[in-house]
């Protein structure tokens, strides 16, 4: 099994892995091919921001980020299986998710079997840029606290297949595990999660969100370097990536970041928060709000009036501060992690968590994995088409018969 090759080193900026395909083996568990108009390629890179230090580490270290870049490729290029995560991280997830917290039947070797169906980018050139549409707008995604960005790769690749360049960014020490190019790891700093005192918890969440906001701006700066962008996206048109007209979506703390960043980052035109209680800058303390488009997407029972665990709903506070286009939708039969790849990955593996509660929240609801994936990516796609391409859609204007699970609280 070949996992990664062509280690490219960009001094001071980035180390790049070109991902490469696996030979198909009978025990492999394939996730669905992205369903949009395009096939999708993937590059993974490490970025080092020497201008900032890592706040969730005792030692003084620059911030080191891992990103995945999902880019559209025309359908003429065939897909093949690409590992869902490196084997070392997969083993960590086997152990983490089979612990009491989740109670998943995931013995060693479980997540290593999972594969995405993507195009190997190795032989692509700028001539392989897909025909009519030259430009695939840049979209930023960030994961929830405690969950690696890799558990959102199926969602990200499905959005990319709709004609977007989707960059997922990990938040080191604030997600469970980040594996770097040299094989080292950043593990979750539990002070982020364990504080029982609400004031401390909010202060830590604020620091986490501020750090993530800086991470996003740094990634946008890095991707504005055309040479670097071309090294990640082999079929990138010569105009490069447009880093000044982007949008962001995220799950949980990643969704919070997509809210808080709007007022400070001109390059992000709109944001979508999947099920995150808004704990960051601009909510409690300084509710500045935004006039940019913003959408809240909640699991069953998560809406403007019910937003655990806070006594005052952060969604209600934020809602009153949103002065532009805004929506609040709720998806029936879902839990907090239906806005990640957990449902589709667990379903394909044939495993179910025995502990359906995590941090007082329903982990995943009764909705089927493929349906959760379809629902999430359809609504995220409609929002991005609206913000970036100015396309209106019935999906954003109220309930539609194709998605009876989705209700509007506006
Ligand atoms: C965890 O983060 C806190 C800051 O919130 C820091 O004070 C602490 O030293 C970190 N813990 C470790 C083990 O690095
Ligand atoms: C599973 O992997 C973990 C971590 O490497 C190891 O500690 C444990 O012994 C392994 N369990 C089995 C049953 O092999
Ligand atoms: C935080 O909680 C986790 C999981 O509940 C536990 O394993 C860990 O020991 C706790 N850490 C601290 C520093 O309290
Ligand atoms: C742009 O990226 C290339 C390739 O990573 C690197 O060699 C170059 O130094 C970067 N330029 C700037 C101005 O950072
Ligand atoms: C980015 O996109 C916007 C909107 O389409 C356009 O006005 C701007 O010129 C583009 N910038 C670059 C560098 O292509
Ligand atoms: C939020 O609003 C206050 C005044 O109401 C202002 O001083 C502050 O700069 C604003 N913050 C941001 C991030 O816009
Ligand atoms: C919000 O969710 C709560 C349950 O958590 C529910 O009782 C209430 O009816 C919901 N509100 C709306 C407007 O749907
Ligand atoms: C489920 O996880 C929670 C922590 O989120 C823990 O307190 C509880 O004991 C777990 N339940 C079981 C049955 O393991």
């Amino acid at each position: 099994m070949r996992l990664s090759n062509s280690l490219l080193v960009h001094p001071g900026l980035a180390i790049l892995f070109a991902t490469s395909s696996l030979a198909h083996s009978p025990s492999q568990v394939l996730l669905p091919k992205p369903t949009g108009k395009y096939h999708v390629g993937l590059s993974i890179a490490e970025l080092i921001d020497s201008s900032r230090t890592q706040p969730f580490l005792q030692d003084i270290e620059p911030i080191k980020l891992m990103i995945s870049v999902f880019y559209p490729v025309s359908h003429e290029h065939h897909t093949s299986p690409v590992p869902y995560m490196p084997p070392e991280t997969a083993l960590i997830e086997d152990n983490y998710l089979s612990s009491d917290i989740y109670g998943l039947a995931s013995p060693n070797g479980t997540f290593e079997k999972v594969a995405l169906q993507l195009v190997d980018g190795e032989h692509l050139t700028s001539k392989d840029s897909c025909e009519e549409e030259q430009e695939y707008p840049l979209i930023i995604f960030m994961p929830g606290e405690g969950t690696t960005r890799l558990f959102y790769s199926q969602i990200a690749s499905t959005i990319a297949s709709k004609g977007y360049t989707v960059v997922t960014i990990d938040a080191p020490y604030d997600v469970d595990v980040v594996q770097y190019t040299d094989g080292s790891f950043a593990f979750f700093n539990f002070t982020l999660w364990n504080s029982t005192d609400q004031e401390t918890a909010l202060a830590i969440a604020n620091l986490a969100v501020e750090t993530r906001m800086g991470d996003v701006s740094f990634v946008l700066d890095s991707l504005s370097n055309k040479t670097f962008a071309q090294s990640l996206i082999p079929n990138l048109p010569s105009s490069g990536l447009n880093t000044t007209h982007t949008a962001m979506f995220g799950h949980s703390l990643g969704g919070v970041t997509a809210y808080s960043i709007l007022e400070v980052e001109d390059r992000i035109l709109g944001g979508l928060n999947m099920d995150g209680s808004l704990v960051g800058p601009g909510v409690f303390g300084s509710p500045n709000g935004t006039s940019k488009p913003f959408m809240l997407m909640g699991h069953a029972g998560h809406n403007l009036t019910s937003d655990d665990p806070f006594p005052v709903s952060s969604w209600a506070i934020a809602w009153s501060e949103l002065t532009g286009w805004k929506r609040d939708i709720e998806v029936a039969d879902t839990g907090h992690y239906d806005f990640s790849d957990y449902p589709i990955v667990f379903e394909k593996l044939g495993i179910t968590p025995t502990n359906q509660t995590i941090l007082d929240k329903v982990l995943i609801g009764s909705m089927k994995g493929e349906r959760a994936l379809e629902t999430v990516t359809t609504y995220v796609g409609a929002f991005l088409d609206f913000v970036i391409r100015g396309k209106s859609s019935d999906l954003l204007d109220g309930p539609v018969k194709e998605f009876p699970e989705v209700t509007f609280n506006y």
Side-chain angles (χ1 to χ4, degrees):
M1 199 192 284
R2 257 185 340 139
L3 281 169
S4 55
N5 61 3
S6 2
L7 193 68
L8 305 177
V9 180
H10 299 254
L13 184 64
I15 301 166
L16 169 71
F17 280 123
T19 58
S20 66
S21 52
L22 288 170
H24 184 68
S25 78
S27 66
Q28 205 165 53
V29 173
L30 295 178
L31 295 175
K33 277 187 194 171
T35 45
K37 188 174 168 193
Y38 302 104
H39 280 158
V40 176
L42 165 65
S43 295
I44 292 174
E46 180 176 316
L47 297 165
I48 299 170
D49 184 356
S50 312
S51 70
R52 294 181 303 149
T53 52
Q54 173 49 249
F56 296 116
L57 197 60
Q58 256 152 14
D59 305 336
I60 299 190
E61 228 184 52
I63 292 191
K64 289 195 291 177
L65 301 173
M66 291 299 294
I67 63 170
S68 297
V69 181
F70 296 90
Y71 54 89
V73 180
S74 88
H75 262 273
E76 290 152 33
H77 299 274
H78 295 291
T79 61
S80 48
V82 168
Y84 189 61
M85 27 181 83
E88 299 81 5
T89 293
L91 187 58
I92 290 164
E93 294 298 343
D94 293 340
N95 285 275
Y96 180 55
L97 291 175
S98 59
S99 70
D100 284 350
I101 304 181
Y102 297 87
L104 203 70
S106 52
N108 292 356
T110 301
F111 290 108
E112 195 182 343
K113 289 187 295 198
V114 182
L116 297 157
Q117 300 197 60
L118 302 176
V119 174
D120 188 338
E122 208 176 347
H123 304 294
L124 294 177
T125 70
S126 60
K127 291 197 184 67
D128 297 308
S129 165
C130 319
E131 346 76 44
E132 14 35 285
E133 253 171 310
Q134 276 291 298
E135 204 188 288
Y136 305 107
L138 176 62
I139 306 300
I140 301 291
F141 172 86
M142 272 202 151
E145 187 181 62
T147 310
T148 158
R149 79 187 192 287
L150 301 171
F151 266 123
Y152 301 84
S153 294
Q154 182 68 22
I155 288 177
S157 58
T158 305
I159 299 296
S161 77
K162 297 174 190 285
Y164 289 100
T165 304
V166 182
V167 176
T168 66
I169 309 172
D170 250 336
Y173 303 99
D174 145 341
V175 300
D176 54 349
V177 55
V178 178
Q179 183 172 348
Y180 293 109
T181 45
D182 65 359
S184 64
F185 299 95
F187 291 108
F188 197 23
N189 175 337
F190 272 103
T191 60
L192 281 161
W193 206 338
N194 290 17
S195 314
T196 47
D197 165 55
Q198 199 166 69
E199 216 167 290
T200 313
L202 280 176
I204 292 174
N206 249 297
L207 179 59
V209 174
E210 273 169 358
T211 305
R212 284 166 171 249
M213 287 159 63
D215 297 344
V216 171
S217 294
F218 175 68
V219 169
L220 290 175
D221 292 347
S222 304
L223 292 174
S224 69
N225 177 334
K226 214 184 278 184
T227 315
F228 178 55
Q230 270 157 355
S231 71
L232 288 167
I233 306 169
N235 63 349
L236 189 71
S238 57
S239 54
L241 272 175
N242 189 331
T243 54
T244 61
H245 285 65
T246 75
M248 177 170 181
F249 72 114
H251 177 226
S252 206
L253 209 62
V256 179
T257 308
Y259 173 79
S260 293
I261 202 167
L262 291 179
E263 275 313 271
V264 295
E265 182 50 89
D266 290 342
R267 293 175 289 186
I268 300 186
L269 306 186
L272 188 153
N273 168 19
M274 303 196 295
D275 218 37
S277 287
L278 294 164
V279 292
V283 192
F284 294 106
S286 62
N288 291 57
T290 178
S291 59
K292 293 178 184 172
F294 191 69
M295 183 157 164
L296 293 161
M297 192 190 276
H299 75 262
H302 190 184
N303 55 50
L304 294 181
T305 52
S306 64
D307 172 34
D308 288 339
F310 300 100
V312 183
S313 165
S314 70
W315 282 26
I317 296 174
W319 190 255
S320 64
E321 303 296 336
L322 293 168
T323 57
W325 185 98
K326 58 184 175 181
R327 293 291 183 271
D328 170 29
I329 65 170
E330 194 173 325
V331 189
D333 309 325
T334 58
H336 188 56
Y337 275 93
D338 279 290
F339 305 94
S340 74
D341 291 350
Y342 280 0
I344 187 78
V345 170
F346 295 173
E347 188 175 290
K348 292 288 171 195
L349 284 164
I351 54 181
T352 320
T354 56
N355 194 349
Q356 271 292 356
T357 309
I358 176 142
L359 300 172
D360 301 326
K361 286 178 178 158
V362 174
L363 183 65
I364 47 181
S366 57
M367 188 181 270
K368 294 272 174 248
E370 301 236 12
R371 183 64 176 168
L373 177 66
E374 184 188 9
T375 307
V376 166
T377 55
T378 299
Y379 280 84
V380 169
F383 175 77
L384 298 175
D385 286 349
F386 167 66
V387 171
I388 297 287
R389 305 190 202 265
K391 281 192 203 163
S392 59
S393 164
D394 290 348
L395 289 165
L396 300 177
D397 286 339
V400 294
K401 66 176 186 320
E402 293 82 2
F403 291 95
E405 305 94 332
V406 177
T407 51
F408 278 67
N409 302 314
Y410 292 97

PDB file of all heavy atoms in Angstrom, residues 10-11 13 225 227-228, ligand 4:
ATOM      1  N   HIS A  10       8.928  23.492   0.867  1.00  0.00           N
ATOM      2  CA  HIS A  10       8.893  24.916   0.540  1.00  0.00           C
ATOM      3  C   HIS A  10       9.495  25.654   1.722  1.00  0.00           C
ATOM      4  O   HIS A  10       8.854  25.763   2.744  1.00  0.00           O
ATOM      5  CB  HIS A  10       7.459  25.371   0.311  1.00  0.00           C
ATOM      6  CG  HIS A  10       6.820  24.655  -0.827  1.00  0.00           C
ATOM      7  ND1 HIS A  10       6.588  25.238  -2.026  1.00  0.00           N
ATOM      8  CD2 HIS A  10       6.395  23.378  -0.931  1.00  0.00           C
ATOM      9  CE1 HIS A  10       6.036  24.355  -2.842  1.00  0.00           C
ATOM     10  NE2 HIS A  10       5.906  23.219  -2.198  1.00  0.00           N
ATOM     11  N   PRO A  11      10.717  26.153   1.596  1.00  0.00           N
ATOM     12  CA  PRO A  11      11.407  26.716   2.761  1.00  0.00           C
ATOM     13  C   PRO A  11      10.578  27.814   3.432  1.00  0.00           C
ATOM     14  O   PRO A  11      10.091  28.716   2.770  1.00  0.00           O
ATOM     15  CB  PRO A  11      12.694  27.298   2.175  1.00  0.00           C
ATOM     16  CG  PRO A  11      12.806  26.742   0.805  1.00  0.00           C
ATOM     17  CD  PRO A  11      11.451  26.346   0.356  1.00  0.00           C
ATOM     18  N   LEU A  13       7.774  28.087   4.346  1.00  0.00           N
ATOM     19  CA  LEU A  13       6.348  28.215   4.094  1.00  0.00           C
ATOM     20  C   LEU A  13       5.617  26.892   4.294  1.00  0.00           C
ATOM     21  O   LEU A  13       4.751  26.785   5.135  1.00  0.00           O
ATOM     22  CB  LEU A  13       6.111  28.746   2.677  1.00  0.00           C
ATOM     23  CG  LEU A  13       4.660  29.011   2.331  1.00  0.00           C
ATOM     24  CD1 LEU A  13       4.084  30.115   3.212  1.00  0.00           C
ATOM     25  CD2 LEU A  13       4.536  29.421   0.876  1.00  0.00           C
ATOM     26  N   ASN A 225      -0.137  33.303  -2.697  1.00  0.00           N
ATOM     27  CA  ASN A 225       1.124  33.069  -3.418  1.00  0.00           C
ATOM     28  C   ASN A 225       0.824  32.065  -4.548  1.00  0.00           C
ATOM     29  O   ASN A 225       0.556  30.887  -4.310  1.00  0.00           O
ATOM     30  CB  ASN A 225       2.158  32.503  -2.435  1.00  0.00           C
ATOM     31  CG  ASN A 225       3.478  32.150  -3.091  1.00  0.00           C
ATOM     32  OD1 ASN A 225       3.541  31.852  -4.288  1.00  0.00           O
ATOM     33  ND2 ASN A 225       4.537  32.160  -2.295  1.00  0.00           N
ATOM     34  N   THR A 227       2.594  30.657  -6.875  1.00  0.00           N
ATOM     35  CA  THR A 227       3.486  29.498  -7.025  1.00  0.00           C
ATOM     36  C   THR A 227       3.099  28.387  -6.048  1.00  0.00           C
ATOM     37  O   THR A 227       3.043  27.198  -6.392  1.00  0.00           O
ATOM     38  CB  THR A 227       4.952  29.897  -6.756  1.00  0.00           C
ATOM     39  OG1 THR A 227       5.216  31.107  -7.436  1.00  0.00           O
ATOM     40  CG2 THR A 227       5.909  28.818  -7.181  1.00  0.00           C
ATOM     41  N   PHE A 228       2.833  28.813  -4.834  1.00  0.00           N
ATOM     42  CA  PHE A 228       2.436  27.843  -3.814  1.00  0.00           C
ATOM     43  C   PHE A 228       1.084  27.213  -4.167  1.00  0.00           C
ATOM     44  O   PHE A 228       0.917  25.996  -4.104  1.00  0.00           O
ATOM     45  CB  PHE A 228       2.393  28.519  -2.446  1.00  0.00           C
ATOM     46  CG  PHE A 228       1.946  27.592  -1.345  1.00  0.00           C
ATOM     47  CD1 PHE A 228       2.594  26.384  -1.131  1.00  0.00           C
ATOM     48  CD2 PHE A 228       0.874  27.922  -0.529  1.00  0.00           C
ATOM     49  CE1 PHE A 228       2.183  25.510  -0.119  1.00  0.00           C
ATOM     50  CE2 PHE A 228       0.457  27.063   0.480  1.00  0.00           C
ATOM     51  CZ  PHE A 228       1.112  25.857   0.680  1.00  0.00           C
TER      52      PHE A 228
HETATM   53  C1  LIG B   4       5.761  31.584  -2.806  1.00  0.00           C
HETATM   54  O1  LIG B   4       5.750  30.165  -2.757  1.00  0.00           O
HETATM   55  C2  LIG B   4       6.923  29.583  -3.275  1.00  0.00           C
HETATM   56  C3  LIG B   4       6.678  28.094  -3.318  1.00  0.00           C
HETATM   57  O2  LIG B   4       6.201  27.636  -2.086  1.00  0.00           O
HETATM   58  C4  LIG B   4       8.119  29.992  -2.424  1.00  0.00           C
HETATM   59  O3  LIG B   4       9.278  29.415  -2.954  1.00  0.00           O
HETATM   60  C5  LIG B   4       8.219  31.507  -2.406  1.00  0.00           C
HETATM   61  O4  LIG B   4       9.227  31.892  -1.519  1.00  0.00           O
HETATM   62  C6  LIG B   4       6.909  32.124  -1.962  1.00  0.00           C
HETATM   63  N1  LIG B   4       6.971  33.573  -2.108  1.00  0.00           N
HETATM   64  C7  LIG B   4       6.743  34.381  -1.106  1.00  0.00           C
HETATM   65  C8  LIG B   4       6.804  35.846  -1.436  1.00  0.00           C
HETATM   66  O5  LIG B   4       6.509  33.991   0.031  1.00  0.00           O
END
